[in-house]
């Protein structure tokens, strides 16, 4: 068995994140090293396997590999010579020992004593030892934890101290538990401002700071820390204990829905938890979240519990699963307490389960809202009524109030009058006409409540009574309303009724504007059926002097009909007249509809040639006016925010757009119109991406993805991929690769190549060069199928450099030759000169780094000439510096 195989496996493992895949490769490498009979190589691989187990979520397995490597070192320190690695690993082993209740404390203390002996013998600071003694004391609830904390904090740091992020993280955890939040914040501040390279940071310090932020009045910072840290923890089973802290955060901040999502995502991890302590705290925190979610009115919801052993997968109600997890956490805590001889772990679990919210509702994003329970209505007898109504006893006077034109502003007065009528009617017998009028009004009430069938039934009865009482005016008024409702219900009888009412009132005009009302209602029904010619014909019948106060409504309907007819110019003129009339009314809200529609139309109109600002400028002002005219939440207000946000996004103002889009998403969600909210989330994610807010873009895109179809889904995944790239998340490469797969199914080879190059770019930026080389090779093939010779050259050249960086120099040499061969397909001209110079430069680098300076020298010289021919001074200088180094190496 060749040791080359071992090094190749270790090289591949190095590019993978800690987890099962990496561990399997290192285990395979160890087996091959042992088969090759190379004890020293096996020792070195075994030390790496200890790390793979520790950070891959299997710390119990690390005890065996660490014990063996430590024993081998003790037996022959000159042969097995990685003492600093072993002393570093000893810290993690000691910390892990406390997390398994079956391991006696005496064993942990013995290992700690051995650790201290070894650190002293090596002349190292005891700072790391003091921290482990603090961890043990804190775990069992021993008061000496404070003393060990002081020693740890005072001791000199050295090369075996935890990193500059992890050390303060532990201190923050201790201080937060002690309620010393300001001290914790002071320790964390410089760490949070630093650039950390540890695999456990910055998510570790961010997680530790969540309770500190909450208890020092900084809920927004707590939410940001949660979002940023959880994105890292969620892919690492070794971080299950940290995930539990994020569940606690959700329970403490009113984010039960988010907490349930996290429980659902990680519930399967419980069966393969990295250690018993993580299992305990996750079960406790999950139980707390599920209990709060069930208590907040979501008790009927379920969580999908995956299959485990003989137990099948099942949808489990929140309360039931919460009770199971609470019992599990309590039982595990009892095991720790029995081992420790204290009640500390049980107290911790009980505190998690009993914790009360500390900051009310903390939104995790601008578009998040918490559903508030509707307040219980006051008893009718105690509800305050508008002035004068509560003492009115004249039934006709009360009905007259209801006959007035109802706007949003006077609706409360109308309803109050009808309630008062019903109260007075209990002691005063209404006349037949009064009963008919109240029945008519009750139909209006039903319509206001959205009860279409109830409204129709009331009006049909009122219609009959008015006929019997020979009240034609009132009868045709009801007939008009009834006809409109029938039409909306798909009953064609309604159109005949609407026409009959309109004909009656135009033939018998009165002073109350009944003719205008009937015609506008008829026109509105035609409009809802997209019959613009009929709308315009009906509106032409309106006498402008009949109800001048309804001119705004008339012009608004005309403008909408003209838009349907494609007469945009005339529509704009009509909408301007509608808005002018609305502005002149005594109800500011009347301007909202024409301002919104006119703004929607103008924002899509091209700017006039030579104009300053153009229609878009006026459009934004109109949308501002529409939103200002609607102080209360409504679908129309949601539409206005949607329109303004999309217009700002299209105008290249994403930073301004996201506020409107977030408000619109929240508004549509509150209105129960989830389809609009889901699709607008994609636009919101796009806005965040364009504004450079990659975290928000990724989070919103991930919210939307499960709920949208293929076409919108691809756009959403593209946004997510670029957001992940901006965040430096390796998952972005997989997202780009999935987009490439979809494009391949559609035969879009150019798109395949583009997405694969994006994936490769991300991977090489993360130093995952072996995987990047594979993606560049695939991209080159796709460019070839797409007929793009420039893409072939570029992808092969970049792939060759990735092979060099990943330890495959000979493959790099071969691949860069294929890039040079592909240059033949490029047409003559500056682009070919540029690509040739790039290939020459990279080929010179590859050959120089593989010990072939004589072969590299002419390529470097050709690169200098090529760049200079294009007057590219920067690249030419770089190539000249490379050439000088190569010639120096040749002379030496």
């Amino acid at each position: 068995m060749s040791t080359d195989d071992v090094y190749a496996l270790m090289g591949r493992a190095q590019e993978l994140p800690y987890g099962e895949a990496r561990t399997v490769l290192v285990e395979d490498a160890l087996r091959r090293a042992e088969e090759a009979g190379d004890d020293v190589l096996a020792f070195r691989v075994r030390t790496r396997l200890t790390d793979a187990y520790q950070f891959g979520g299997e710390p119990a397995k690390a005890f065996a590999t660490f014990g063996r490597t430590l024993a081998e070192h003790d037996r022959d320190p000159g042969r097995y010579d990685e003492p600093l690695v072993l002393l570093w690993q000893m810290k993690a082993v000691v910390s892990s020992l406390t997390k398994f209740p079956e391991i006696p404390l005496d064993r942990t203390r013995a290992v700690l004593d051995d650790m201290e002996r070894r650190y002293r013998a090596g002349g190292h600071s005891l700072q790391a030892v003091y921290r482990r003694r603090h961890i043990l004391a804190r775990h069992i609830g021993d008061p000496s934890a404070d003393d060990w904390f002081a020693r740890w904090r005072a001791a000199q740091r050295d090369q075996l101290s935890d990193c500059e992020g992890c050390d303060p993280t532990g201190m923050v955890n201790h201080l937060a538990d002690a309620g010393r939040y300001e001290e914790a914040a002071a320790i964390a501040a410089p760490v949070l401002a630093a650039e950390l390279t540890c695999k456990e940071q910055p998510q570790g310090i961010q997680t530790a700071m969540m309770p500190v932020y909450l208890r020092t009045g900084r809920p927004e910072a707590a939410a940001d820390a949660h979002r940023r840290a959880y994105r890292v923890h969620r892919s690492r089973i070794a971080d299950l204990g940290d995930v539990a802290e994020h569940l606690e955060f959700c329970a403490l901040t009113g984010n039960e829905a988010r907490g349930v999502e996290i429980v659902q995502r990680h519930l399967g991890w419980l069966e393969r938890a990295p250690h018993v302590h993580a299992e305990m705290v996750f079960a406790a925190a999950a139980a707390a979240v599920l209990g709060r979610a069930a208590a907040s009115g979501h008790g009927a919801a379920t969580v999908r519990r995956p299959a485990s052993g003989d137990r099948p997968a099942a949808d489990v109600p929140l309360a039931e699963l919460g009770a199971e997890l609470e019992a599990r956490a309590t039982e595990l805590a009892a095991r720790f307490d029995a081992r420790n001889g204290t009640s500390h772990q049980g107290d911790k679990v009980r505190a998690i389960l009993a914790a009360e919210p500390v900051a009310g509702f903390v939104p995790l994003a601008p578009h998040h809202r918490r559903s508030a329970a509707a307040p219980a209505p006051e008893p009718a007898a105690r509800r305050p009524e508008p002035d004068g109504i509560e003492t009115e006893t004249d039934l006709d006077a009360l009905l007259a109030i209801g006959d007035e034109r109802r706007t949003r502003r006077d609706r409360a007065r109308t309803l109050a009058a009808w309630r008062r009528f019903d109260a007075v009617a209990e002691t005063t017998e209404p006349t037949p006409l009064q009963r008919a009028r109240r029945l008519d009004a009750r139909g209006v009430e039903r319509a206001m409540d959205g009860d279409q069938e109830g409204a129709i039934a009331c009006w049909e009865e009122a219609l009959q009574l008015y006929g019997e009482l020979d009240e034609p005016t009132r009868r045709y008024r009801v007939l008009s309303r009834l006809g409109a409702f029938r039409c909306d219900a798909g009953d064609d009888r309604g159109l005949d009724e609407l026409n009959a009412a309109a004909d009656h009132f135009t033939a018998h005009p009165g002073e109350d504007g009944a003719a205008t009302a009937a015609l506008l209602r008829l026109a509105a029904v035609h409009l809802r059926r997209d019959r613009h010619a009929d709308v315009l014909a009906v509106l032409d019948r309106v006498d402008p002097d009949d109800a001048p106060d309804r001119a705004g409504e008339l012009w608004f309907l005309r403008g909408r009909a003209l838009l349907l007819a494609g007469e945009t110019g005339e529509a704009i003129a009509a909408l301007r007249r509608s808005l002018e009339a609305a502005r002149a009314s005594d109800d500011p809200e009347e301007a909202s509809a024409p301002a919104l529609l006119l703004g929607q139309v103008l924002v899509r109109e091209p700017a006039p040639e030579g104009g300053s600002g153009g229609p878009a400028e006026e459009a934004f002002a109109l949308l501002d006016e529409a939103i200002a005219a609607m102080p209360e939440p409504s679908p129309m207000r949601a539409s206005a925010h949607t329109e303004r946000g999309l217009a700002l996004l299209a105008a290249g103002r994403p930073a301004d757009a996201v506020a409107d889009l977030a408000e619109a998403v929240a508004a549509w969600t509150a209105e129960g119109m989830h389809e609009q909210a889901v699709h607008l989330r994609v636009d919101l994610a796009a806005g965040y991406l364009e504004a450079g807010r990659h975290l928000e873009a990724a989070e919103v895109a991930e919210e939307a993805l499960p709920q949208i179809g293929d076409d919108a889904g691809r756009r959403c995944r593209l946004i997510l991929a670029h957001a992940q790239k901006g965040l430096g998340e390796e998952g972005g490469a997989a997202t780009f690769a999935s987009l490439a797969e979809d494009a391949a199914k559609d035969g879009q080879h150019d798109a395949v190549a583009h997405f694969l190059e994006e994936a490769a770019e991300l991977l090489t930026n993360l130093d995952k060069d072996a995987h990047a080389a594979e993606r560049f090779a695939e991209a080159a093939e796709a460019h070839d199928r797409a007929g793009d010779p420039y893409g072939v050259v570029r992808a092969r050249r970049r792939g060759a450099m990735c092979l060099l960086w990943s330890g495959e120099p000979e493959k790099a040499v071969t691949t860069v030759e294929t890039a040079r061969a592909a240059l033949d397909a490029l047409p003559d001209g500056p682009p070919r000169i540029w690509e040739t110079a790039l290939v020459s430069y990279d080929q010179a680098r590859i050959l120089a780094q593989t010990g072939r300076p004589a072969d590299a020298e002419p390529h470097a010289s050709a690169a200098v000439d090529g760049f200079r021919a294009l007057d590219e001074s920067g690249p030419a200088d770089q190539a000249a510096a490379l050439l000088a180094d190569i010639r120096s190496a040749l002379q030496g």
Side-chain angles (χ1 to χ4, degrees):
M1 182 67 67
S2 169
T3 57
D4 289 345
D5 294 337
V6 177
Y7 288 113
L9 285 169
M10 293 302 292
R12 287 170 55 195
Q14 191 68 25
E15 290 210 343
L16 294 174
Y18 282 107
E20 184 178 359
R22 178 168 179 156
T23 299
V24 167
L25 287 179
V26 181
E27 287 175 334
D28 191 17
L30 177 59
R31 179 180 59 79
R32 291 171 186 251
E34 290 175 335
E35 289 175 355
D38 192 329
D39 293 343
V40 173
L41 179 59
F43 168 80
R44 297 188 188 285
V45 173
R46 194 173 285 109
T47 62
R48 304 308 182 266
L49 185 55
T50 295
D51 287 339
Y53 285 143
Q54 188 69 49
F55 300 114
E58 300 178 284
K61 292 183 178 180
F63 297 154
T65 54
F66 174 75
R68 178 165 176 179
T69 53
L70 187 64
E72 288 173 333
H73 169 75
D74 289 346
R75 185 173 67 251
D76 190 348
R79 181 175 174 80
Y80 305 108
D81 59 348
E82 293 202 49
L84 288 179
V85 171
L86 294 172
L87 290 178
W88 185 275
Q89 290 179 338
M90 203 169 200
K91 300 184 301 179
V93 168
V94 169
S95 298
S96 295
L97 287 170
T98 65
K99 297 173 180 176
F100 295 90
E102 63 271 22
I103 298 177
L105 287 183
D106 287 346
R107 180 180 173 189
T108 304
R109 292 189 176 106
V111 177
L112 251 175
D113 292 342
D114 184 42
M115 178 181 175
E116 181 169 340
R117 178 185 64 77
R118 292 173 185 273
Y119 273 55
R120 286 185 185 278
H124 304 294
S125 169
L126 296 183
Q127 197 253 12
V129 177
Y130 293 153
R131 182 180 181 191
R132 269 66 206 175
R133 293 198 182 278
H134 163 79
I135 288 172
L136 174 58
R138 183 166 171 253
H139 171 76
I140 64 177
D142 192 303
S144 65
D146 290 332
D147 179 54
W148 289 118
F149 176 78
R151 294 193 196 189
W152 161 32
R153 194 171 178 183
Q156 181 69 38
R157 287 179 53 82
D158 70 357
Q159 60 186 334
L160 287 174
S161 295
D162 290 337
C163 84
E164 294 182 352
C166 292
D167 228 28
T169 297
M171 295 179 185
V172 168
N173 282 326
H174 173 77
L175 293 169
D177 281 353
R180 295 158 63 181
Y181 302 115
E182 294 299 343
E183 288 181 66
I187 285 177
V191 180
L192 292 165
E195 291 288 335
L196 303 174
T197 57
C198 171
K199 59 184 167 293
E200 297 182 42
Q201 299 298 340
Q203 68 272 15
I205 191 80
Q206 290 167 340
T207 297
M209 282 299 292
M210 291 189 303
V212 176
Y213 287 136
L214 287 176
R215 288 168 174 83
T216 54
R218 288 173 279 180
E220 295 86 359
D224 186 66
H226 161 68
R227 289 160 54 228
R228 293 182 184 279
Y230 176 67
R231 284 191 70 80
V232 181
H233 290 314
R234 69 182 184 177
S235 62
R236 302 178 178 182
I237 192 171
D239 294 355
L240 184 61
D242 298 282
V243 172
E245 293 188 54
H246 288 271
L247 283 173
E248 287 187 65
F249 167 84
C250 291
L252 294 175
T253 57
N255 284 289
E256 295 88 0
R258 165 83 161 185
V260 171
E261 290 176 7
I262 293 174
V263 171
Q264 178 70 81
R265 181 178 291 128
H266 300 288
L267 189 58
W269 283 8
L270 266 183
E271 307 309 323
R272 50 194 182 99
H275 44 74
V276 181
H277 195 266
E279 179 185 353
M280 178 192 76
V281 293
F282 180 88
V289 162
L290 295 173
R292 289 203 166 276
S296 65
H298 301 284
T302 62
V303 167
R304 184 69 174 174
R305 182 174 58 192
S308 177
D310 295 333
R311 187 192 69 200
D315 294 319
V316 186
L318 300 188
E320 179 182 335
L321 181 59
E324 289 181 18
L325 293 174
E326 179 177 341
R328 185 171 185 167
T330 302
E331 187 272 329
L332 294 175
R335 289 175 56 193
F336 277 109
D337 288 345
R339 191 268 309 265
N340 298 340
T342 69
S343 64
H344 187 68
Q345 293 301 315
D347 293 341
K348 180 176 182 177
V349 166
R350 286 184 285 275
I352 292 172
L353 293 169
E356 294 292 331
V358 297
F361 172 60
V362 177
L364 301 180
H367 63 282
H368 287 179
R369 301 287 190 275
R370 187 178 193 180
S371 299
E378 296 181 51
R382 299 180 56 188
R383 183 186 289 126
E385 302 290 14
D387 292 343
I389 290 181
E390 195 167 345
T391 58
E392 181 63 66
T393 59
D394 187 330
L395 295 178
D396 283 327
L398 291 168
L399 289 169
I401 294 173
D403 285 343
E404 296 171 3
R405 184 180 165 213
R406 286 171 288 278
T407 66
R408 181 186 300 271
R409 191 176 52 182
D410 58 26
R411 183 173 295 172
R413 177 174 170 80
T414 299
L415 294 173
W418 289 338
R419 284 194 300 271
R420 179 61 181 165
F421 178 97
D422 293 340
V424 174
E426 290 179 4
T427 57
T428 303
E429 179 68 23
T431 66
L433 180 57
Q434 289 170 340
R435 282 198 299 274
R437 292 174 66 188
R438 182 63 185 102
L439 192 59
D440 181 2
R442 191 161 287 116
V444 175
E445 285 184 274
R446 298 285 187 273
M448 288 179 178
D449 293 337
D451 180 4
Q452 194 174 56
E453 290 185 6
I456 290 174
C458 288
W459 285 332
E460 285 178 335
E461 190 176 348
L463 195 67
Q464 182 177 347
L465 290 175
Y466 282 142
E468 293 171 357
L469 294 169
D470 193 22
E471 289 282 342
T473 299
R474 298 185 190 282
R475 181 178 178 279
Y476 279 107
R477 250 196 216 112
V478 172
L479 192 65
S480 178
R481 282 196 290 268
L482 180 59
F485 264 62
R486 284 201 209 277
C487 285
D488 290 341
D491 185 343
D492 288 337
R493 289 180 299 167
L495 197 57
D496 292 334
E497 292 169 340
L498 277 165
N499 277 305
D503 290 344
H504 171 82
F505 284 117
T506 51
H508 305 87
E511 296 181 359
D512 58 356
T516 298
L519 289 168
L520 293 181
R521 188 173 287 118
L522 175 58
V525 167
H526 283 313
L527 189 65
R528 288 196 287 274
R529 296 184 170 199
D530 295 334
R531 295 161 63 167
H532 56 83
D534 290 331
V535 175
L536 296 173
V538 170
L539 294 179
D540 286 341
R541 296 169 60 191
V542 175
D543 180 354
D545 296 326
D546 180 54
D549 61 325
R550 304 193 71 166
E553 187 178 350
L554 184 150
W555 286 108
F556 183 68
L557 289 170
R558 185 177 292 278
R560 292 179 61 189
L562 289 166
L563 285 174
L564 278 177
E567 302 291 343
T568 306
E570 291 184 43
I572 290 173
L575 290 172
R576 289 192 192 283
R577 294 192 64 172
S578 173
L579 181 58
E580 182 182 350
R583 286 170 176 166
S585 75
D586 59 355
D587 184 355
E589 287 191 50
E590 287 194 17
S592 58
L596 172 57
L597 183 55
L598 184 56
Q600 289 173 320
V601 173
L602 292 182
V603 84
R604 291 165 175 76
E605 284 292 288
E609 232 175 283
S612 73
E617 185 177 327
E618 181 188 2
F620 286 125
L622 288 165
L623 294 171
D624 293 346
E625 180 181 358
I627 291 170
M630 295 180 283
E632 298 298 325
S634 68
M636 193 159 72
R637 183 178 172 87
S639 293
H641 280 295
T642 299
E643 194 65 43
R644 188 167 69 179
L646 293 175
L648 288 166
L649 194 60
R653 296 166 57 185
D656 296 325
V658 292
D660 271 308
L661 294 173
E663 186 63 33
V665 169
W668 288 124
T669 303
E671 294 288 342
M673 304 178 79
H674 297 291
E675 185 175 351
Q676 289 90 331
V678 166
H679 285 277
L680 198 62
R681 275 189 175 90
V682 181
D683 295 300
L684 176 58
Y688 281 132
L689 182 64
E690 291 182 34
R693 295 168 63 175
H694 298 114
L695 174 63
E696 290 91 339
E699 296 253 306
V700 175
E702 288 173 342
E703 283 181 7
L705 261 177
Q707 306 173 69
I708 54 180
D710 288 344
D711 290 340
R714 289 191 186 186
R715 179 188 174 216
C716 192
R717 281 159 53 217
L718 180 59
I719 293 167
L720 175 60
H722 281 291
Q724 290 172 313
K725 183 179 179 182
L727 291 168
E729 293 182 352
E730 189 175 350
T735 309
F736 278 123
S738 72
L739 289 164
E741 290 175 6
D742 288 345
K745 293 174 185 175
D746 296 336
Q748 298 174 336
H749 301 300
D750 54 344
V752 173
H754 170 75
F755 292 137
L756 289 172
E757 279 202 82
E758 288 281 7
E761 177 79 26
L762 175 54
L763 288 167
T764 190
N765 288 342
L766 296 174
D767 294 328
K768 308 292 183 181
D769 292 302
H771 290 115
E774 293 173 2
R775 288 290 182 245
F776 276 126
E778 294 167 358
E781 293 177 5
H783 280 305
D784 189 36
R785 286 192 293 271
D788 179 4
Y790 293 99
V792 173
V793 172
R794 180 180 62 251
R796 288 180 180 175
R797 173 179 59 80
R798 298 204 62 192
M801 291 305 299
C802 288
L803 287 167
L804 177 68
W805 295 327
S806 66
E808 299 278 3
E810 293 308 316
K811 289 184 179 179
V813 171
T814 302
T815 302
V816 79
E817 280 294 345
T818 66
R820 178 166 294 281
L823 289 168
D824 293 340
L826 304 186
D828 291 335
R832 176 170 180 162
I833 296 172
W834 171 256
E835 294 294 341
T836 302
L838 288 174
V839 169
S840 297
Y841 178 72
D842 283 344
Q843 191 164 16
R845 293 165 71 192
I846 291 169
L847 291 169
Q849 291 188 42
T850 54
R852 305 177 213 184
D855 294 333
E857 193 268 347
H859 291 302
S861 179
V864 173
D865 294 342
F867 289 133
R868 285 180 176 166
L870 297 172
D871 292 328
E872 293 286 351
S873 58
D877 291 344
Q878 283 183 287
L882 174 64
L883 178 61
D885 290 342
I886 292 170
R887 286 175 173 168
S888 176
L890 287 170
Q891 292 171 2

